[in-house]
Amino acid sequence: MNYNTDRNDIEMREYGRHLQKMVDYAVSLTDRKERQKVAENIIQLMGILNPQLRNAADYKHKLWDHIFIISNFKLDVDSPYPKPTEDTARIKPADLPYPQKRIRLKHYGKNVEALVEKAINMEDEGKKEIFTEIIGNFMKMAYKNWSNEEVSNELIKEDMKSLSRGELEISADMNIESMTRNQQQQRKFSSNNNRNNQNRNRNQGQNRNQGQNRNNNNNNRNNNNRNNFPNNNNRNNNNRFNKNQ
């Protein structure tokens, strides 16, 4: 038994082991013309195995780069494109920095904290109040989505004080119910539409079944009349025969 653990490694697994063997065979050829011909045939086969690469503008270039990578850069053939090297073909991407900032109230998210900081730094008091009201609306809607329970305005006010370190305050004149109310109306409207569509589909199905039953009854009636037609003919023939006698 020849296990995969005993075989050579595959440089690019998306092409499979058979193509890896083909490339290894091309590398082992001593005749340069024959090696060039085999490499070009392998390129055509690679395009068939990975048709999604054809959507790219430079997919031929990618295929030639792949065949050199599969050969571990040992394939000596003429390429219509610059030959890649191990340093240029296997560039390790830079590590993405992971955010290390701790979110104080995770159910509101990081964006709410950024909005609160922006509101704190506003110099115009009128804009700051409007912005605070908008943030309070969003906080209540976000809390409602997170907990799926009734949320009191007092809780949102306390959370606003906590996030802003006492710099922002939701007053009694501010309306923080509009976003939550609009969301509830949209959900109700969506559920009503779904219910109406279900009723419409149910009525259409019933009408279709009634139409099919009516057609079946008509067909049965026509078949019965057709079956009775020979009996009528026999009866007419018997009457004619009796008259002749």
Side-chain angles (χ1 to χ4, degrees), residues 99 101-117 135 138-146 156 159-160 162-164:
K101 185 178 179 181
R102 180 176 175 272
I103 303 175
R104 297 179 59 189
L105 300 176
K106 294 184 179 180
H107 49 279
Y108 293 126
K110 184 179 179 181
N111 292 332
V112 170
E113 291 187 358
L115 292 173
V116 169
E117 292 296 329
I135 298 173
F138 183 79
M139 287 173 62
K140 185 162 187 179
M141 184 182 68
Y143 198 107
K144 179 76 174 176
N145 292 334
W146 175 72
I156 303 300
D159 289 344
M160 176 66 77
S162 176
L163 290 174
S164 64

Side-chain angles (χ1 to χ4, degrees), residues 163-177:
L163 290 174
S164 64
R165 300 177 298 278
E167 296 290 333
L168 301 178
E169 183 178 357
I170 298 177
S171 63
D173 298 334
M174 294 182 181
N175 180 16
I176 60 174
E177 301 284 346

Side-chain angles (χ1 to χ4, degrees), residues 185-226:
Q185 291 177 355
Q186 289 177 358
R187 288 178 178 175
K188 184 177 180 180
F189 179 76
S190 178
S191 63
N192 290 335
N193 283 340
N194 293 333
R195 193 179 299 107
N196 292 333
N197 291 332
Q198 291 176 357
N199 293 333
R200 189 181 300 110
N201 293 332
R202 189 181 298 109
N203 293 332
Q204 290 177 354
Q206 292 176 355
N207 294 333
R208 192 180 300 111
N209 292 332
Q210 291 176 358
Q212 290 177 354
N213 293 332
R214 192 180 298 111
N215 292 331
N216 292 332
N217 293 331
N218 292 332
N219 291 331
N220 293 331
R221 191 179 298 109
N222 293 330
N223 291 330
N224 292 330
N225 293 332
R226 192 179 296 111

Side-chain angles (χ1 to χ4, degrees), residues 15 44 52 58 61 68 72 75 111 117 133 151 172 181 220:
Y15 290 105
Q44 294 179 2
Q52 68 274 8
D58 56 344
H61 193 177
F68 286 115
N72 203 11
L75 184 62
N111 292 332
E117 292 296 329
E133 183 178 357
V151 184
R181 192 180 300 111
N220 293 331

